[in-house]
Every structure is written in structure tokens, then in C-alpha cells.
Amino acid sequence: MISMREVQMDLISGEKLERMTSMEKVRLILDKVKTGKIVVLESGLTPVEEVRLIEMTMTEIRLDEFSGIEIESYPAKRESSFLDKIFGRKIKGRMTVIGPANQLRTIEKDKYQIITKVSVGD
Amino acid sequence: MGFFESFKTGFGAWIRRIFKKKRAKIGLYGPPNAGKTTLANRIVQDWSGGGAMGTVSSIPHETRRAMRREGIMINANESSIELDIVDTPGMATKIDFKEFMAHGLSEPEAKKRAREATEGVIEAIKWLDDLDGVLLIMDATEDPYTQVNVTVIGNMEARGLPLLIVANKTDLPESSASRIKSAFPQHAMVSISALEGTNIDELYRAIAFYFG
């Protein structure tokens, strides 16, 4: 008989993300990922939020406990328009998957698809 | 960010592009082992005759503190630009000391390096707020769709700052600069070998054009 461990995957809607501040998003993601969950964000993070997440991840790395995150999102769809540049409009994030670095592994990624593997450990 | 702040940021970037300045603080960014320090050393040696900016190693995260070299005058395209070069630690989303042990470091050395590497990543991120532009160094033998590349490019686009992609390690037979170009076609790219100096003059012309 094959024994199976389960991995929880949390899919968070764009509506929920829109109501959250950047810090709330980063905290939510890290709290979930540090407990072994895989998080999928429907509308992703902005580039500035992504670096905040990486920065916060670095402060929470603990040797032998938490080695960081695997995060994958698509490159921005297109260059922002002239008016976007003038008015400094934000570039919207795209669907993003985030998980513990020791469990989530990216197999392949290009402009159109992200293929990952989740390891469930012993 | 409110409307006024957004307008100010976007308009400021636009004005900077119109009234190009001749001095720029440029950050060298990229994943670990992309060749950032090798390129920084080459730029410094070619244009200031000074000593190397940092040591180079095959073990990832050799550079764990950002290093700045001021007043490097580059002459290209019949004009000059004075650069402050900031060689930043490799950006990463994960740091596992066991990876360093696989490169032959003892456990205490690996743990020390891991701790310093996490601080280095934070330092690299902090520098993003204090730059006029970025050279994003990519290893042309590797898959360009790494999250570090996507995140750095997204940040420069959001800040309205110039970015030049450097496809490095073209001396290696498995390198493919065209793979990088097709991944990020909206940005200028120069392919070089920082180690051998191949096509380095083309890079200097591009630096003068995009950051000058």
C-alpha cells in the first residue's frame, strides 16, 4: 500500500489581494509557505511587492528550518504605454505560485506556462 | 502610492530621460554566478586602471557585500560618461547552506556564508532605491526565465529607470544569447564574455547610449 502525504494548496483570488496592503500580502504568503503550503495568487504581486517578499524571506531564513521560497510568475505582458510612464501607473502582477524552496521545484517556465513539481517529503 | 506621488515618480523619470545627464550610478544585478564581479573588474580595469573590485569564485554568493567604485569615466560614441559602479551580491529567493557544502565548504563555513548571503540579498534590494540604472547580468548558458530576472526587470520598469541586459558567458559553447533576447524582447541586450572581453566595446557604447 502506498502511503501518501498531503500538500495544502491555497488559491487566493484577485479580489482578496486587492483589498490587502503590500505588507499584509507578504505576511500572508510567508506564514503559509513556512508551514509547507503552496500559495497561488490569481493576480500576483507588483514588482515592488515581489522584492519586499524576497527581502522579508531573507530575514526569516533559518539554517536547517527554512531555506527560503520558490516563486514563479510570468514576465510583464508588455511594455507600459507612454501615458502609463507619464502618470507612473503600476504594472499589474500576473498569476504567481509560491512555495517552500525545499518542496516546490520549477521544471520549466516560459512566457506562456509554468511547470512545477511539489515534493511531499518522507 | 497616491496619484500625486505616482505622477511625480513617472514625470521625474520622463524628465530625466529628456535631459540626459553625464553621470550615473549604475547597479550590476543578477543571479549568483552570472559574472557580475567579473564584469565589474573588467570595467574598472579598462577605464580606471585600478585594482579589481572583488574576488571571483565558482562557489555561489562570493560577493556578499555591495561594492561601489566611483568616477569611472567611459569614452564611447564620441562622448564621455562618468559612472559610479555598484557591484551587488547575487539576488536569490532561497539560500541553503548545504549547497555550499556541496562545493566543498565545511559546515561552519557554509553556515557563515549562508548568513552573510541573506544579508547580501537584502543589501542588493536596498540599493535599488538609490540607482540611476541597472545592468542586469544573465548567464547565457542558463534559462533566462528566472524569478530574479523577472523581478529586477519588473522593478526597473515600475520605477521608469533604464535597464540594459548583458548576456554573459558567450565564450561557453552552450550559451544562447538569442534565448535571452526572445525572453525579454522589450529591452536592449548586449552579448559579451566578461571573462575574455569579447564584444566589450559594444557594451561600452550601449552604456554611453542608455545611461549617458
Side-chain angles (χ1 to χ4, degrees):
Chain A
M1 187 174 159
I2 301 168
S3 68
M4 285 194 290
R5 269 194 59 207
E6 294 175 329
V7 174
Q8 184 172 325
M9 187 173 281
D10 292 0
L11 285 77
I12 303 176
S13 69
E15 286 85 351
K16 177 168 180 171
L17 291 169
E18 271 177 24
R19 290 198 301 270
M20 298 173 80
T21 65
S22 296
M23 201 55 220
E24 284 171 333
K25 290 181 209 172
V26 168
R27 194 63 270 165
L28 174 87
I29 293 162
L30 274 178
D31 286 347
K32 286 178 182 293
V33 169
K34 284 176 74 181
T35 55
K37 294 170 186 164
I38 308 295
V39 181
V40 179
L41 308 176
E42 185 187 25
S43 55
L45 299 171
T46 66
V48 174
E49 287 168 346
E50 275 182 15
V51 290
R52 292 293 159 251
L53 175 62
I54 295 171
E55 187 177 355
M56 201 68 172
T57 299
M58 289 299 123
T59 66
E60 305 218 356
I61 285 178
R62 299 287 179 273
L63 306 174
D64 280 326
E65 286 175 32
F66 177 61
S67 62
I69 60 171
E70 179 78 21
I71 170 171
E72 294 297 349
S73 64
Y74 301 102
K77 247 177 196 166
R78 55 178 176 76
E79 198 173 12
S80 51
S81 69
F82 176 74
L83 283 177
D84 288 341
K85 284 176 181 169
I86 291 290
F87 290 102
R89 287 175 186 153
K90 287 178 185 174
I91 298 165
K92 278 196 170 179
R94 301 179 68 188
M95 192 166 71
T96 301
V97 58
I98 307 157
N102 61 348
Q103 278 182 259
L104 184 69
R105 189 160 60 93
T106 303
I107 305 297
E108 199 182 316
K109 179 178 174 182
D110 61 31
K111 279 181 205 168
Y112 309 107
Q113 65 174 356
I114 296 167
I115 303 171
T116 60
K117 265 191 179 174
V118 180
S119 112
V120 291
D122 298 326
Chain B
M1 195 187 282
F3 172 80
F4 183 70
E5 280 299 308
S6 296
F7 179 82
K8 210 169 70 174
T9 306
F11 193 68
W14 188 63
I15 288 294
R16 277 197 300 276
R17 285 191 179 181
I18 291 173
F19 300 100
K20 287 185 168 187
K21 56 181 179 179
K22 291 288 185 181
R23 181 172 182 143
K25 198 185 295 168
I26 302 300
L28 272 62
Y29 277 79
N33 275 15
K36 297 178 292 298
T37 303
T38 304
L39 178 58
N41 288 344
R42 180 162 288 279
I43 294 172
V44 167
Q45 282 158 9
D46 282 354
W47 295 102
S48 77
M53 274 188 83
T55 56
V56 174
S57 164
S58 60
I59 305 173
H61 295 282
E62 176 68 11
T63 304
R64 301 186 292 283
R65 287 280 177 274
M67 289 171 292
R68 179 157 69 107
R69 188 67 64 90
E70 292 177 273
I72 298 169
M73 191 67 77
I74 289 183
N75 299 300
N77 296 341
E78 297 176 347
S79 67
S80 299
I81 175 173
E82 191 176 346
L83 292 183
D84 288 356
I85 298 277
V86 184
D87 180 23
T88 67
M91 291 266 282
T93 61
K94 56 194 169 197
I95 292 168
D96 189 347
F97 74 91
K98 295 184 195 84
E99 189 190 340
F100 303 135
M101 290 175 70
H103 280 87
L105 295 190
S106 68
E107 188 169 330
E109 285 172 331
K111 287 183 171 175
K112 180 172 181 282
R113 194 180 188 92
R115 271 191 295 271
E116 291 173 354
T118 59
E119 292 165 10
V121 173
I122 294 169
E123 203 177 323
I125 289 170
K126 299 286 187 201
W127 265 104
L128 279 171
D129 296 329
D130 199 20
L131 295 170
D132 300 310
V134 158
L135 287 178
L136 177 56
I137 323 298
M138 298 187 194
D139 181 339
T141 68
E142 298 282 338
D143 183 351
Y145 287 102
T146 66
Q147 195 58 33
V148 165
N149 292 340
V150 171
T151 300
V152 172
I153 288 174
N155 267 269
M156 299 314 285
E157 288 172 348
R159 291 160 200 252
L161 291 174
L163 166 85
L164 181 60
I165 295 173
V166 180
N168 191 25
K169 304 194 184 182
T170 56
D171 53 298
L172 298 176
E174 64 271 32
S175 68
S176 172
S178 60
R179 192 168 45 185
I180 295 174
K181 188 63 197 168
S182 69
F184 306 106
Q186 72 275 36
H187 291 287
M189 186 199 82
V190 178
S191 54
I192 64 160
S193 164
L195 187 67
E196 296 185 353
T198 312
N199 214 29
I200 202 77
D201 289 335
E202 180 65 29
L203 175 65
Y204 295 141
R205 280 192 288 273
I207 287 173
F209 180 78
Y210 288 101
F211 303 123

